[in-house]
Amino acid sequence: TIVRILRVNAQPSEQVLEMSQLRSAFVNEDSFQYYRVHIPPTSSAIKVKLIPSYGDPDAYLSFTSSEPDDLTATWVMDDVGAEEQVIKREAVEFCQFEPCI
């Protein structure tokens, strides 16, 4: 199960998330679910939590790649079990332009 999030360009199959919103989804093996998040300029960081209820999902995060994968993502969450990634605005790879999506 692979979840790709934080895409720059919205596609019809993408779901838009709000900050602090939780989302539960079932994704078949070797399939993808896309999410897009608008990050307000006042946010000093973002926190991404990946909590599997079944299987071993991965998440690929990017502000620059339209379809991040394990080679093009800036941040990869691919450990077994629950994971949490905090990305601070000071990070070099953090969103470089506004609006930050």
Side-chain angles (χ1 to χ4, degrees):
T1 305
I2 299 173
V3 178
R4 293 182 181 181
I5 63 175
L6 296 179
R7 292 192 39 169
V8 176
N9 299 317
Q11 299 296 321
S13 63
E14 288 182 326
Q15 297 181 36
V16 177
L17 299 177
E18 299 295 326
M19 294 289 282
S20 301
Q21 180 183 13
L22 299 177
R23 179 61 54 100
S24 177
F26 178 83
V27 181
N28 289 319
E29 186 172 359
D30 297 324
S31 296
F32 303 94
Q33 178 64 53
Y34 300 97
Y35 297 96
R36 184 172 58 124
V37 180
H38 178 269
I39 302 169
T42 57
S43 295
S44 61
I46 60 170
K47 182 188 295 186
V48 179
K49 291 184 179 184
L50 187 59
I51 305 169
S53 57
Y54 179 79
D56 179 29
D58 297 327
Y60 303 109
L61 296 83
S62 177
F63 287 107
T64 58
S65 178
S66 62
E67 293 187 2
D69 59 27
D70 60 334
L71 299 175
T72 62
T74 308
W75 298 276
V76 176
M77 299 170 69
D78 61 356
D79 290 343
V80 175
E83 292 184 68
E84 180 175 293
Q85 178 78 44
V86 176
I87 305 169
K88 296 183 179 182
R89 189 169 284 276
E90 298 85 40
V92 174
E93 300 86 0
F94 200 87
C95 181
Q96 302 296 312
F97 307 100
E98 296 295 336
C100 192
I101 300 174

